[in-house]
Amino acid sequence: MKTDIAEPGFFRGLSGRLLLLTVIFVMVAEVMIFVPSVATMRLRWLNDRLNTAAAAAVTVDGLDNVELPRAVQDETLMATGTRTIALRRQDASRLIATVEDPVDIDAQYDMANTGSLDAIRDALDTLIFGGNRTIRVYGPIGESDQTIDVVMKDRSLRKAMLTYARNVFILSFFISLITATLIFVSVNRLTIVPLRRIISSMQDFAAHPADPDRVLVPTDGRDEISIAGQHLSAMQTQLQRTLREQKNLADLGLAVSKINHDMRNILSSAQLISDRLNDVDDPVVKRFAPKLLRTIDRAVGYTSDVLAYGGTKEAPPNRRKLALQPLVADVSDMLGLDAQSEIVFAIEVEETIEIDADGEQIFRVIHNLCRNAVQALSADETLTQRKITVSALRMGSVVSISIDDTGPGMPQKARENLFTAFRGSARSGGTGLGLAIAREIVLAHGGTIALVEKPTAGTLFRIELPDQPVSLDTFRNRARN
């Protein structure tokens, strides 16, 4: 079922957030640039006023001992935007022009000794608190030893700084918009559009996971989003394969359950008939009758548990001490490997070795592994030696059982999916259920089963079965008896 997910608003989606964040970050960068630039602008503005006042002062200073008329002073002060102009030398100073009313100085600035941090601090101070203050500004005239000293109101300075700040803000805003738009278009094309394509594929696949057309067709790029799309496509393909296998497994379970009912009736009839063989006096019949009965009994038991793997689980093992050698010999008999067979079945198990296990379940494990070995040896006509060796060794409370054959070995695909139903088969047409069931049984006994690498050709499986721990109560009861 497809889940309806509301589309996010523009500024809630990645595109809108990216655009907004880009504008904000560009504006922050512009602010960081604006502060030193407005400080530089202030210094330049003050230097221009000093240079204008210096030009007038030098001209007047050329007239020795001449005091400018009041009207000329006022015009000079108005032209330079100052209230007092003074020219200083090392040995003397001269007041060029001044207003009639006394002037109170609120702040003074030495243009020759103003550092960068001082300039920024003074600029911010003028922007925030300036406008109605009287300031004194002085600095050298060119390369000479003369100093121009002026007193002025900072109203014009603050007004010029505000105009400059407004222009910088407007310019920065348009730059940020252009930059954000370019970044938005690029990132939207490279990131957002591919992401939306992946999201759309995920939604479509969730609605119809069995439809092959819903699998994403990945791009061949090597960027992160392309790689994510490739992984998503592989995951969807794998999931479809798993779904098909699960469906096949369900269909197989239904078919087996129908066959199982009739098969149990047939085997039950065969069991009743085979019981009469015990009354026959033929020596050959008496020799093979017990084996035939055991085989039919096992077949009846298998039909009862045939759905255990696909349905619930294997029944808990009914553990007891039993000799391993006769169990392996039964496996050889059930495989039909006698002295005339092309395949040699070697049993290297000492008579004294016992295992603490469910005999029927361990029989199934060894029989499945040996049957796989027989099939592999029979299928390869190029083999010069066909041999299966079952050996065992007890080490403390653990019995190690090895099933070794001289066959062609297990294919790489089967190795990669070992003990996985419907994938771990070593032969064409196999299901891999034998190995999967064998692993489940061994794990239920608390043991391990593994494929062992060996230097020669063939396949070697090793099973390790630990003895069942004995409780203290059981031990004490045995000690009393």
Side-chain angles (χ1 to χ4, degrees):
M1 180 181 295
K2 184 175 181 179
T3 303
D4 293 331
I5 301 176
E7 291 291 335
F10 180 76
F11 286 103
R12 288 183 178 270
L14 292 178
S15 302
R17 292 181 182 181
L18 178 64
L19 179 62
L20 183 60
L21 287 176
T22 304
V23 172
I24 293 174
F25 291 156
V26 172
M27 292 299 295
V28 170
E30 291 292 342
V31 168
M32 296 177 67
I33 298 173
F34 164 76
V35 173
S37 67
V38 75
T40 303
M41 173 265 170
R42 174 181 171 276
L43 293 178
R44 186 169 58 250
W45 191 91
L46 291 176
N47 281 321
D48 289 343
R49 289 302 174 94
L50 286 180
N51 291 334
T52 302
V58 170
T59 301
V60 174
D61 188 56
L63 305 174
D64 294 335
N65 299 322
V66 175
E67 182 178 352
L68 293 179
R70 181 75 264 164
V72 176
Q73 290 188 36
D74 292 339
E75 291 179 358
T76 302
L77 294 174
M78 183 180 64
T80 57
T82 59
R83 297 181 65 83
T84 299
I85 300 176
L87 187 62
R88 305 183 186 278
R89 299 184 182 88
Q90 292 182 352
D91 55 350
S93 63
R94 180 177 179 182
L95 185 62
I96 303 300
T98 185
V99 295
E100 296 180 355
D101 300 330
V103 178
D104 294 328
I105 305 299
D106 296 316
Q108 56 184 352
Y109 304 102
D110 182 3
M111 302 302 292
N113 298 298
T114 301
S116 299
L117 294 179
D118 294 334
I120 293 174
R121 180 196 62 199
D122 295 339
L124 294 176
D125 181 68
T126 301
L127 279 174
I128 298 172
F129 303 106
N132 294 311
R133 297 188 298 186
T134 301
I135 60 174
R136 176 191 172 203
V137 184
Y138 55 93
I141 301 176
E143 300 294 332
S144 67
D145 59 351
Q146 301 181 85
T147 301
I148 186 68
D149 191 334
V150 301
V151 176
M152 68 179 73
K153 288 284 187 179
D154 68 349
R155 184 180 297 108
S156 298
L157 172 61
R158 185 170 183 270
K159 183 179 179 180
M161 292 175 66
L162 289 174
T163 302
Y164 177 81
R166 181 196 63 195
N167 294 336
V168 170
F169 174 79
I170 294 174
L171 181 62
S172 301
F173 180 74
F174 281 106
I175 290 176
S176 66
L177 280 181
I178 295 173
T179 305
T181 301
L182 293 176
I183 294 177
F184 170 78
V185 172
S186 301
V187 175
N188 191 68
R189 180 182 180 86
L190 296 175
T191 304
I192 307 301
V193 172
L195 277 178
R196 287 176 177 169
R197 179 171 174 265
I198 291 177
I199 293 172
S200 177
S201 174
M202 294 170 65
Q203 292 175 336
D204 292 342
F205 186 83
H208 303 282
D211 187 358
D213 294 334
R214 303 302 175 101
V215 176
L216 176 69
V217 180
T219 59
D220 296 330
R222 302 307 304 166
D223 57 277
E224 289 79 358
I225 295 181
S226 298
I227 294 175
Q230 294 164 14
H231 283 291
L232 175 61
S233 177
M235 182 181 68
Q236 290 175 337
T237 303
Q238 181 65 31
L239 181 58
Q240 281 193 345
R241 185 182 300 114
T242 302
L243 290 174
R244 286 195 298 268
E245 291 174 354
Q246 293 297 325
K247 184 179 182 300
N248 293 338
L249 179 60
D251 295 340
L252 176 62
L254 179 60
V256 170
S257 65
K258 294 178 180 178
I259 297 172
N260 183 57
H261 179 268
D262 296 332
M263 184 63 69
R264 287 183 62 187
N265 294 334
I266 296 172
L267 289 174
S268 297
S269 300
Q271 191 175 30
L272 293 173
I273 296 173
S274 61
D275 286 339
R276 299 179 182 178
L277 294 176
N278 291 324
D279 300 331
V280 180
D281 291 333
D282 191 318
V284 177
V285 173
K286 289 203 175 281
R287 176 186 174 189
F288 290 104
K291 296 181 180 180
L292 176 60
L293 291 175
R294 286 199 302 270
T295 301
I296 294 178
D297 289 340
R298 287 194 178 105
V300 173
Y302 291 169
T303 58
S304 300
D305 299 333
V306 69
L307 298 180
Y309 181 82
T312 56
K313 292 183 178 179
E314 289 286 341
N318 182 19
R319 303 181 70 156
R320 61 185 179 87
K321 289 284 186 178
L322 56 97
L324 180 59
Q325 189 185 73
L327 187 146
V328 178
D330 285 347
V331 171
S332 176
D333 292 339
M334 194 165 183
L335 292 174
L337 300 177
D338 50 23
Q340 288 75 31
S341 175
E342 294 182 356
I343 300 176
V344 178
F345 193 93
I347 302 176
E348 298 179 359
V349 181
E350 297 180 1
E351 295 180 358
T352 57
I353 293 181
E354 292 184 337
I355 58 174
D356 185 2
D358 186 317
E360 289 300 321
Q361 290 189 356
I362 298 303
F363 176 89
R364 292 172 61 187
V365 172
I366 299 176
H367 178 263
N368 282 338
L369 296 176
C370 291
R371 183 184 57 192
N372 290 344
V374 170
Q375 292 171 347
L377 292 170
S378 302
D380 194 339
E381 299 179 355
T382 63
L383 296 175
T384 58
Q385 182 183 16
R386 292 179 172 87
K387 183 178 181 180
I388 302 173
T389 303
V390 180
S391 59
L393 177 66
R394 173 171 283 279
M395 295 176 290
S397 62
V398 178
V399 176
S400 176
I401 306 172
S402 298
I403 295 93
D404 188 7
D405 67 60
T406 59
M410 186 163 288
Q412 183 62 31
K413 181 180 179 181
R415 290 173 178 266
E416 294 174 355
N417 300 282
L418 200 63
F419 306 117
T420 302
F422 301 101
R423 292 187 186 177
S425 177
R427 61 186 178 87
S428 177
T431 62
L433 277 173
L435 290 178
I437 294 174
R439 179 176 182 272
E440 184 177 339
I441 292 175
V442 172
L443 291 179
H445 282 75
T448 60
I449 179 172
L451 176 66
V452 181
E453 296 292 340
K454 64 176 189 175
T456 58
T459 303
L460 171 61
F461 279 96
R462 181 164 295 141
I463 304 167
E464 294 179 347
L465 295 175
D467 292 343
Q468 188 175 17
V470 179
S471 65
L472 287 176
D473 292 338
T474 304
F475 173 78
R476 289 166 182 166
N477 293 333
R478 289 179 180 176
R480 292 191 190 103
N481 296 331

